[in-house]
Amino acid sequence: MAVISYREALNQAIDEEMARDENVFILGEEVGEYNGAYKVSRGLLAKYGEKRVIDTPIAELGFTGIGIGAAIAGLRPIVEWMTHNFAILAMDQVINNAAKMRHMSGGQIKVPIVFRGPNGPAEYLSSQHSQSLAAFWMHVPGLKVVAPATPYDAKGLLKSAIRDDDPVVMLEAELMYSWEGEVPEEEYLIPIGKADIKRQGKDVTLITYSKPLRTVLSVADKLAERGIDAEVIDLRSLRPLDTDTIFASVRKTHRAVVVDEAWPMGSPASFVAYAISRECFDELDAQVEIVTSEDVPMPYNHRLELAVQPSEEKISDAVAKVLYME
């Protein structure tokens, strides 16, 4: 099986879907001549031409709206935001048009569009360019939200998102684009709304998504050296949320820690913790713990930047708390 980077997996997904369906096209800042800010669209302009790989002005509200209009007209656009931080400017188009059009038309109008780009803390980017906005998208009915953490999942989920008849928001991460992993050469899809158990265990359930997965798996390996058998669930999709997999794991381990790069209030982690507490209350041996970014804007100082994010130490401390090992 080939070993490729996260960005190469995304590139393969887009390339394969553009070759399969002439209605698929990509637009965004620098996706053509510059091959994308993170080189996800490398080579696509030369292969498919400027009518299907479209460089746009720095105007997120405008080109996101153009993409939504094209989707309503029957095309399948992929809108690349240079970062989800800039997508804040396009929220009106996504929330009030893309997410609601099927509902407001009584099911007559579908909006098959993908919005994708890096989300979450990066490095040395301070408070305006280094934050997780997952909760904003997860909050909106009518949107689907996926957040793959591996090249394999990124390719399979992006291909499913492109083929979906509803708008899909895809959360990537700047620091993940160079991460490598095995990706099969044959075609495959990963269904939206299905979590993956990345590590089997029986003592505690660790739940996460996107970039923190690598940290959580490292913590699980270190816990194993201490005789603690942690199960790791990668949500992969935030909306719809695979609560069946979450609840089944918690009913086995009776303890849960949710790890999330978003701020704590109204976060994906806080919703997952609430859902577990509501549905598995009688099965729990300890309250559900969440490990999130601290409730502050991202600092520029690198030491402080790392201090506000979930860390191995914070996750280990939360595990110790639910296991009453403090």
Side-chain angles (χ1 to χ4, degrees):
M1 192 179 298
V3 176
I4 63 174
S5 68
Y6 193 96
R7 70 162 55 83
E8 290 171 325
L10 294 171
N11 178 273
Q12 285 187 6
I14 297 170
D15 188 5
E16 290 176 9
E17 292 305 299
M18 290 183 73
R20 186 188 64 81
D21 184 349
E22 64 180 9
N23 290 320
V24 178
F25 71 100
I26 184 169
L27 72 163
E29 298 154 356
E30 301 180 340
V31 299
E33 296 287 348
Y34 193 65
N35 290 314
Y38 299 97
K39 308 308 176 192
V40 170
S41 55
R42 185 189 300 274
L44 297 179
L45 176 62
K47 189 171 184 178
Y48 296 102
E50 60 186 13
K51 289 188 177 180
R52 297 182 67 193
V53 182
I54 302 171
D55 278 322
T56 67
I58 304 174
E60 283 76 11
L61 179 65
F63 69 75
T64 298
I66 289 171
I68 293 168
I72 292 172
L75 302 179
R76 290 187 177 273
I78 303 165
V79 172
E80 178 174 304
W81 292 321
M82 192 177 291
T83 151
H84 278 261
N85 299 287
F86 302 163
I88 294 170
L89 294 161
M91 278 191 167
D92 179 53
Q93 284 289 353
V94 179
I95 294 172
N96 280 326
N97 289 323
K100 295 175 180 170
M101 200 55 64
R102 181 186 287 273
H103 167 74
M104 294 175 67
S105 69
Q108 297 181 79
I109 296 175
K110 59 185 180 182
V111 188
I113 187 170
V114 176
F115 308 104
R116 47 157 296 273
N119 172 68
E123 285 190 307
Y124 308 104
L125 292 176
S126 192
S127 52
Q128 294 175 317
H129 290 177
S130 189
Q131 56 196 340
S132 173
L133 301 175
F136 289 79
W137 304 125
M138 185 183 178
H139 187 60
V140 183
L143 295 181
K144 296 177 179 176
V145 183
V146 298
T150 68
Y152 176 85
D153 290 341
K155 182 176 180 180
L157 275 170
L158 180 53
K159 287 171 69 72
S160 293
I162 293 169
R163 298 184 191 190
D164 202 285
D165 283 342
D166 291 314
V168 180
V169 176
M170 186 157 175
L171 308 172
E172 302 157 11
E174 291 175 43
L175 298 179
M176 291 169 57
Y177 285 124
S178 61
W179 291 5
E180 294 185 336
E182 292 186 339
V183 175
E185 295 181 3
E186 61 272 20
E187 178 169 271
Y188 66 96
L189 300 172
I190 293 178
I192 295 172
K194 183 61 180 173
D196 186 40
I197 300 176
K198 289 291 196 287
R199 189 183 194 283
Q200 296 281 347
K202 60 179 177 56
D203 294 330
V204 59
T205 300
L206 306 181
I207 303 162
T208 191
Y209 64 93
S210 196
K211 182 161 61 69
L213 175 67
R214 178 177 283 195
T215 305
V216 170
L217 286 170
S218 176
V219 170
D221 288 342
K222 291 173 181 173
L223 290 172
E225 295 172 358
R226 298 161 54 193
I228 301 169
D229 191 11
E231 181 150 295
V232 177
I233 294 179
D234 176 9
L235 294 175
R236 299 196 299 194
S237 295
L238 298 180
R239 189 183 183 104
L241 188 66
D242 184 4
T243 52
D244 289 345
T245 296
I246 296 170
F247 297 160
S249 178
V250 173
R251 287 175 176 133
K252 178 175 65 174
T253 67
H254 308 291
R255 297 171 172 85
V257 175
V258 192
V259 182
D260 183 359
E261 289 182 319
W263 295 301
M265 185 175 290
S267 63
S270 62
F271 180 81
V272 171
Y274 150 75
I276 293 170
S277 300
R278 183 189 62 192
E279 296 296 328
C280 305
F281 183 79
D282 291 335
E283 313 268 359
L284 288 169
D285 287 340
Q287 71 177 29
V288 181
E289 290 293 326
I290 65 172
V291 179
T292 66
S293 287
E294 303 298 332
D295 199 17
V296 296
M298 182 64 71
Y300 182 74
N301 176 280
H302 190 52
R303 182 172 293 181
L304 295 176
E305 184 181 41
L306 295 176
V308 304
Q309 299 177 51
S311 64
E312 290 197 9
E313 182 180 6
K314 292 178 183 178
I315 299 167
S316 297
D317 288 347
V319 171
K321 193 170 184 179
V322 299
L323 289 169
Y324 302 111
M325 295 174 63
E326 289 183 310

